[in-house]
Amino acid sequence: MSFLSRSSSALFLLALGLGAGCQRTQPEGPAKGSAAFWLTNPDKSVLFQQQAAPAWSSTAPAVGTPVIEVDDKQTFQTIDGFGYCLTGGSAELLHRMTPEARKAILRELFATDGPNIGVSYLRLSIGASDLDATVFSYDDLPEGQTDPALAKFSLAPDRQHLLPVLKEILAINPNIKILGSPWSPPTWMKTNGNSKGGSLKPEFYPAYAQYFVKYVQQMKAEGVRIDAITVQNEPLHPGNNPSLLMLAEQQAEFVKKHLGPAFQAAKIDTKIVVYDHNADRPDYPLTILNDPEAKKYVDGSAFHLYAGPIEALSQVHDAHPDRNVYFTEQWVGSKSKFEENFPWHVRTLMIGATRNWARTVLEWNLAADPQQNPHTPGGCTECRGALTIDGSTVTREDAYYIIAHASKFARPGSVRIASTASETLPNVAFKAPNGQKVVLVQNNSKQAQPFSLRYQGKTLTSTLQPGAAGTYVW
C-alpha cells in the first residue's frame, strides 16, 4: 500500500464511510421469465439487497431508452475470483473474536448459500505486510548473520493467527484460490539490511528463490494450497515498511535464472505473476514478458490502481494475449465517503478491470479495527477494512458491498461475455459455470437512469439511481 501513490491519486481513491449492517435475508432465485436483481444505492438506503425481479418481455424498449445487449457467443477471460487481502492484521482481529461470532462472519463472507456473499479469492502476504502488528520474515536473524541454506525458515509467525483463520475459511470453501505476495525478503538478504527499502543482493537470488519454494511447500503441509505468487508487492515503492525496490530488469533476472527454475525443479505448479504495482508503468511487466527466457516461467502480471489508467491492463494483455492479467489491490481510505467511493470502485475496478482482462479483482485489507489498526511502524494508518471489527462486533464497510456485487454470482470459472460498452451505464457481463448470466451495471450519471438489458431478442427494463449499482442474474 503506497503512501506516495495514495496522495497523488486522492481524487480517484475516495473510500467509504462506516457502512450499515446488511440485511441477512434468504435470497430468491430468478423466477421463470424474470431476472434476480440486487441493488446498492450510494446514499445507503439500499445496501446489497434483493429487489423485485424485473420481467423479460418481447416488447421493444421505449424509444430513447439505452439498451445493453448481452451476447454470450462472444467470450473473453475466465474469472478466478473476487475478494480481499487477508492481511496478518485482519487475521488477528478475526482470530480474537469469540468462536461463535467468527464462525458467523466467516460463513457470511465465504459460503455461497443463502445470503452469504461467496468471496472466492484471497491474497496473503509472504511474511509481514504493512498491515501486520509487527515486521517479520520467515527467516529473521540477529544482525550480521546469514542463512543461505534457510535452515531456520519457519512459518511460526503465521501459526498464531493467520493459519487458524485460513483453516476455518478452507473448511467453508475448500476451493478458494490464494495468492501470496512478499513485501520484503529477510533483511539479511538486502543491500541495506533493513525491512524498509533496499534491494535484493544478487548473491542471495538463489536463497530467495528457495524461500518461495519453502513457503509454498510448508503452506501445503498446513493444508493451504498457494495457487499463485507475485514476485514482489509494489516493487517500485521502497518507502513502505516493509518494502523492497526491485526494478524490472532485476525481476526478470530473478525469475528466469532462479525462481522459475527453482519451482520447476521442486515440481511446484504455483503460478508466478510479475509486477503487482500501479497501472502507470505497463513497461515494467512488458519488459519481463518481452524476455522469452523469463516469460516461459510467467503466468501473467498483476496491477494496482493508485496511479495510471485501468486500460493499461489491456495494453499488457494485447501485447501478450497468452499471459493472464490480475487486479490485486485497491485501498479504501478511512477519511473518504461511501457515496463517492462505491461508484468509483464498481465502475473502475469491478467493471473496468474485468473489461480489461483481469481474472481477479481484490480490495485491500479484509478487516481493521475502528482506529484502522493494526499496522507496522510506518505502515498504512488510514486503511479501512471491508469489515470493521471491534471485539466481536462487526460493521460491514464499503469494500464488503463492492465485492459482493460480483463475488456472489460470478463464481470462479465464470467467463466474461460481450455486453454493450457505455459511458453513462458502465457494465460487465459473465456466464457463470451453472449457465446463469450475470450483469453488473452502474449508473455513472447525475440523474436516475432507466435502461434495458437485451438477451436473445428479449428485454427487461430497470432503473438505477445516480451512482447506484445493480447485479442482474438469470
Side-chain angles (χ1 to χ4, degrees), residues 302-445:
F303 293 86
H304 308 174
L305 199 68
Y306 305 113
I310 197 67
E311 292 78 15
L313 279 64
S314 280
Q315 180 184 342
V316 175
H317 168 269
D318 292 349
H320 293 273
D322 56 345
R323 292 298 183 265
N324 294 311
V325 173
Y326 302 87
F327 191 87
T328 50
E329 181 187 311
Q330 198 71 23
W331 86 315
V332 171
S334 62
K335 295 181 179 178
S336 49
K337 298 177 181 177
F338 187 95
E339 64 266 25
E340 296 167 323
N341 192 58
F342 177 81
W344 185 90
H345 278 244
V346 172
R347 176 174 68 252
T348 312
L349 304 181
M350 307 307 293
I351 294 169
T354 51
R355 286 192 79 104
N356 285 281
W357 297 96
R359 296 173 69 98
T360 60
V361 178
L362 308 181
E363 292 279 319
W364 183 215
N365 52 317
L366 175 58
D369 77 5
Q371 290 75 44
Q372 284 72 59
N373 291 320
H375 56 79
T376 62
C380 180
T381 59
E382 297 178 15
C383 288
R384 175 179 289 141
L387 307 174
T388 294
I389 298 179
D390 187 0
S392 290
T393 301
V394 174
T395 304
R396 296 162 190 82
E397 304 285 4
D398 319 49
Y400 174 97
Y401 301 107
I402 292 162
I403 290 295
H405 268 277
S407 63
K408 183 169 181 63
F409 312 106
R411 303 300 303 157
S414 296
V415 176
R416 181 168 70 89
I417 57 178
S419 60
T420 308
S422 171
E423 287 290 324
T424 54
L425 288 163
N427 64 86
V428 66
F430 307 96
K431 183 177 181 179
N434 64 2
Q436 287 187 325
K437 269 61 69 180
V438 179
V439 183
L440 175 57
V441 185
Q442 192 256 337
N443 179 6
N444 186 30
S445 72

Side-chain angles (χ1 to χ4, degrees), residues 140-151:
D140 289 329
L141 302 172
E143 189 173 351
Q145 295 185 19
T146 63
D147 181 22
L150 302 177

Side-chain angles (χ1 to χ4, degrees), residues 26 43 67-68 85 106 130 136 159 166 221 266 301 317 329 374:
Q26 180 72 18
D43 65 3
V67 176
I68 299 170
C85 303
L106 291 181
D130 61 315
F136 64 87
R159 289 199 175 94
L166 259 183
S301 48
H317 168 269
E329 181 187 311

Side-chain angles (χ1 to χ4, degrees), residues 80-231:
D80 281 350
F82 299 93
Y84 306 103
C85 303
L86 179 63
T87 60
S90 299
E92 180 178 345
L93 291 167
L94 287 162
H95 199 219
R96 292 190 189 282
M97 297 174 75
T98 65
E100 297 77 13
R102 182 174 61 253
K103 180 179 179 181
I105 193 60
L106 291 181
R107 273 205 59 78
E108 183 180 321
L109 287 168
F110 296 101
T112 57
D113 58 330
N116 304 309
I117 69 170
V119 168
S120 51
Y121 205 101
L122 288 174
R123 180 177 179 229
L124 310 179
S125 60
I126 299 175
S129 77
D130 61 315
L131 293 188
D132 278 86
T134 59
V135 175
F136 64 87
S137 79
Y138 301 123
D139 199 335
D140 289 329
L141 302 172
E143 189 173 351
Q145 295 185 19
T146 63
D147 181 22
L150 302 177
K152 297 182 179 179
F153 182 98
S154 172
L155 292 180
D158 285 346
R159 289 199 175 94
Q160 187 175 6
H161 301 299
L162 181 74
L163 281 166
V165 170
L166 259 183
K167 289 174 183 180
E168 289 188 46
I169 292 169
L170 286 165
I172 298 165
N173 179 3
N175 298 316
I176 195 165
K177 289 193 172 179
I178 296 172
L179 167 72
S181 301
W183 267 237
S184 173
T187 56
W188 54 267
M189 295 187 184
K190 300 175 71 174
T191 54
N192 65 350
N194 195 294
S195 61
K196 181 177 177 179
S199 296
L200 182 64
K201 289 182 176 181
E203 61 263 36
F204 289 124
Y205 279 20
Y208 195 41
Q210 291 303 316
Y211 185 89
F212 282 90
V213 169
K214 283 184 174 289
Y215 173 74
V216 171
Q217 290 175 335
Q218 292 194 21
M219 288 295 275
K220 182 179 179 181
E222 294 285 343
V224 179
R225 183 183 184 278
I226 303 299
D227 182 69
I229 57 92
T230 63
V231 181

